[in-house]
């Protein structure tokens, strides 16, 4: 047995109903006196409640999906002009991503308060988009110093978005089992995350105003993100990052749609990973278990429903191929990738 596993230096607080109390405690630990609160307009009231009584000097709401570089630059200037000494981000992956973009050039500590199951808050991964090209990287400076998980803050997340975001979290589990840095420790985290999400998401869909399902979904999303942070990006994430940046497709829905095709493609040549997922799902087959879950959730099914055109498939194949990990369990050819994208485009069965 030979592997390297890196544990991340981060405080994680689960406190349903107690976000304001927990955030105040984390800000006291970092000894911050001039806070920049990053939250998109729909989360502005929520962010104000969470940060009430704290030394906020600026509230920044220019949050855009995939973090365009020009948006990041403006936010960095705001932080510099207001002499900010810490960041609090309240929202989903795009909001956390913008806070990371600020931290990347300033070194400011982040206290993240997620309202979705995106998982970005638990990784040192950043992403920026320049034109139609999305670039991602890893830098420990962007890892939030603290994360506050309060399931009550997710109660307002619509079921449709909760499903897509939860399947995005599940994609972290799946990709972590065969990504370049996969190892037995992150496999254990990924399997437990998959088990928790598999049980939680139907509860969220059926009882969206109840806390237990939301709590388990956050727990599973956190485990998924920690596994992903150690393993790195596998084939699934490489595909989705290119599609999201190049065609401005919605992040969570793109992951939810592409995931079953990547799992079906890799599972035959990754039997140990497939067995782990099958056990987590409580089904004989990992692909079948995922499809059953997606059917129960009425998950998004086709990329064409979100603006991806069939005519773009050849260009997408060419853009994705350079980023395919050499360690992927199943060798990836241009024809295979084109078939996978075509099936995801139309939402059809494949293989």
């Amino acid at each position: 047995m030979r592997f390297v596993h890196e544990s991340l230096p981060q405080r994680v607080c689960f406190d349903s109903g107690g976000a304001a109390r927990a955030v105040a405690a984390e800000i006291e630990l970092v000894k911050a006196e001039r806070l920049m609160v990053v939250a998109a307009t729909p989360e502005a009231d929520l962010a104000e409640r969470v940060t009430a009584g704290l030394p906020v000097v600026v509230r920044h709401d220019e949050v855009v999906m995939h973090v365009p570089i020009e948006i990041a630059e403006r936010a960095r200037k705001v932080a510099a002009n207001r002499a900010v000494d810490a960041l609090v981000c309240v929202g989903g992956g795009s909001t956390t991503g913008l806070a990371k973009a600020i931290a990347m050039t300033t070194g400011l500590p982040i206290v993240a308060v997620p309202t979705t199951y995106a998982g970005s808050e638990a990784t040192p991964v950043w992403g920026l988009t320049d034109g139609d090209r999305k670039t991602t990287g890893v830098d420990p400076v962007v890892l939030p110093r603290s994360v506050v998980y309060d399931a009550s803050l997710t109660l307002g997340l619509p079921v449709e978005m909760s499903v897509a975001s939860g399947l995005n979290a599940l994609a972290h589990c799946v990709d972590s089992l065969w990504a370049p840095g996969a190892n037995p420790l992150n496999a254990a985290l990924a399997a437990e995350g998959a088990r928790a999400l598999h049980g939680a998401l139907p509860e969220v869909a059926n009882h969206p105003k109840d806390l237990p399902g939301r709590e388990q979904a956050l727990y599973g999303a956190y485990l998924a993100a920690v596994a992903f942070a150690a393993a790195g990006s596998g084939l699934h994430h490489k595909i989705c990052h290119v599609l999201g940046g190049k065609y401005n497709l919605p992040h969570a829905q793109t992951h939810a749609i592409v995931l079953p095709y990547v799992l079906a493609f890799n599972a035959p040549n990754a039997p140990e990973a497939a067995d782990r997922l099958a056990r987590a799902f409580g089904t004989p087959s990992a692909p079948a278990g995922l499809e059953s879950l997606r059917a129960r959730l009425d998950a998004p099914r086709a990329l064409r429903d979100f603006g991806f055109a069939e005519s773009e498939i050849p260009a997408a194949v060419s853009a994705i191929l350079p980023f395919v990990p050499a360690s992927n369990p199943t060798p990836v050819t241009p024809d295979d990738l084109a078939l996978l994208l075509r099936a995801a485009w139309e939402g059809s069965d494949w293989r």
Side-chain angles (χ1 to χ4, degrees):
M1 183 179 289
R2 291 186 177 88
F3 64 88
V4 174
H5 181 86
E6 185 169 349
S7 296
L8 302 176
Q10 182 181 72
R11 282 174 55 85
V12 180
C13 311
F14 277 78
D15 192 352
S16 294
R21 173 179 60 243
V23 169
E26 297 308 305
I27 291 301
E28 186 175 351
L29 285 175
V30 299
K31 298 181 170 34
E33 298 179 345
R34 297 182 62 83
L35 300 181
M36 178 175 180
V37 176
V38 180
T41 301
E43 282 78 45
D45 290 343
L46 189 64
E48 190 160 356
R49 293 199 302 272
V50 167
T51 58
L54 298 179
V56 178
V57 296
V58 60
R59 296 182 181 275
H60 189 79
D61 63 3
E62 191 183 20
V63 176
V64 178
M65 186 172 62
H66 303 303
V67 196
I69 187 65
E70 61 272 17
I71 299 295
E73 291 291 354
R74 283 201 287 270
R76 290 164 176 168
K77 288 179 181 177
V78 170
N81 290 340
R82 301 305 297 269
V84 169
D85 61 3
L87 306 166
V88 177
C89 56
V90 182
S94 297
T95 301
T96 307
L98 180 59
K100 286 181 170 185
I102 300 169
M104 185 164 57
T105 58
T106 64
L108 292 172
I110 302 171
V111 175
V113 187
T115 60
T116 71
Y117 311 115
S120 176
E121 68 280 352
T123 81
V125 178
W126 57 266
L128 292 169
T129 303
D130 189 358
D132 66 356
R133 182 180 176 84
K134 184 171 185 177
T135 302
T136 61
V138 176
D139 189 334
V141 77
V142 309
L143 177 72
R145 188 76 56 87
S146 303
V147 183
V148 172
Y149 288 110
D150 179 348
S152 71
L153 302 184
T154 70
L155 294 177
L157 190 65
V159 167
E160 183 177 313
M161 190 61 209
S162 297
V163 165
S165 185
L167 289 171
N168 176 26
L170 186 57
H172 291 138
C173 297
V174 175
D175 232 15
S176 295
L177 294 173
W178 49 56
N183 66 59
L185 295 183
N186 64 37
L189 293 168
E192 172 62 4
R195 182 205 63 77
L197 288 162
H198 183 270
L201 294 180
E203 286 298 311
V204 170
N206 294 329
H207 307 286
K209 296 301 181 182
D210 292 350
L211 279 180
R214 299 281 187 177
E215 289 177 330
Q216 283 297 300
L218 281 177
Y219 165 69
Y222 169 71
L223 292 177
V226 174
F228 176 70
S233 293
L235 176 64
H236 172 83
H237 279 79
K238 296 302 186 183
I239 292 172
C240 291
H241 286 165
V242 169
L243 293 179
K246 190 172 180 63
Y247 303 104
N248 199 35
L249 301 183
H251 183 85
Q253 290 88 342
T254 301
H255 281 268
I257 291 166
V258 171
L259 180 60
Y261 300 104
V262 175
L263 178 56
F265 181 70
N266 273 342
N269 294 306
E272 185 176 345
D275 287 347
R276 277 184 179 270
L277 287 171
R279 290 195 298 271
F281 296 159
T283 56
S285 158
L290 177 58
E291 274 306 310
S292 175
L293 176 64
R294 285 166 47 77
R296 292 169 66 192
L297 298 175
D298 192 23
R301 302 205 68 86
L303 292 175
R304 62 182 173 185
D305 294 337
F306 296 91
F308 183 61
E310 184 179 15
S311 60
E312 299 286 2
I313 291 174
V317 169
S318 297
I320 292 166
L321 279 173
F323 299 101
V324 172
S327 60
N328 193 66
T330 301
V332 179
T333 68
D335 288 345
D336 284 335
L337 191 52
L339 287 172
L340 188 156
L341 290 180
R342 188 170 301 280
W345 169 78
E346 63 185 6
S348 63
D349 292 335
W350 184 64
R351 299 205 166 205

